[in-house]
Amino acid sequence: MTVFEQQSVSEALERSISNAKHLRARHSATIAAARALARKIDAWDVIVAWAVEDASSVKGRPAVPQNDNVSIASFLKYLDALGLTPEDEAPAARPGRPVSKPAPAGPVAVASAPSSGVLKFRKRAASG
């Protein structure tokens, strides 16, 4: 079993890049963007602490939000674009929660019959 040591996002990214045998020069820009975002993610807590400290000295709000809810999601998209996310592993099922299944490929079939009472009511009301 692989042991994962505690490391920064930047260090983990570098480890993933060095172990990826499929990456080529054409991936350079994506790698550069992922590195920049990894540094931002690593520095976020420090940036927030500084902003909170500055805000408390002037009795105002911090200049940055305390939570960044986009950087990690964007970083994962970079990893996916670089082929650094495992595709062959299904998420583990949790008790009481089914494992999510990927959306079907191709066009989605639309049911001709309403699927709920509200839709049936609207259909009857529209027909007169």
Side-chain angles (χ1 to χ4, degrees):
M1 183 167 118
T2 303
V3 176
F4 294 100
E5 57 190 65
Q6 183 71 30
Q7 54 187 333
S8 69
V9 176
S10 295
E11 292 168 335
L13 174 64
E14 293 304 321
R15 182 177 179 190
S16 294
I17 291 169
S18 67
N19 286 314
K21 305 299 180 216
H22 66 280
L23 295 176
R24 301 288 179 256
R26 69 175 183 251
H27 297 101
S28 295
T30 309
I31 289 172
R35 284 177 171 154
L37 193 51
R39 286 190 303 271
K40 178 188 176 200
I41 292 167
D42 287 338
W44 186 251
D45 291 336
V46 175
I47 292 168
V48 170
W50 289 340
V52 168
E53 185 179 313
D54 289 346
S56 66
S57 68
V58 294
K59 307 244 189 272
R61 293 181 56 119
V64 297
Q66 288 195 3
N67 297 315
D68 176 7
N69 59 359
V70 260
S71 293
I72 297 288
S74 297
F75 183 72
L76 292 173
K77 288 181 182 179
Y78 281 112
L79 294 181
D80 198 31
L82 290 168
L84 297 177
T85 54
E87 295 178 16
D88 57 345
E89 297 176 16
R94 294 187 184 139
R97 186 173 184 182
V99 174
S100 61
K101 295 182 181 175
V108 177
V110 178
S112 59
S115 60
S116 73
V118 173
L119 293 175
K120 289 177 185 176
F121 175 80
R122 287 181 182 167
K123 186 173 180 182
R124 274 186 282 164
S127 64

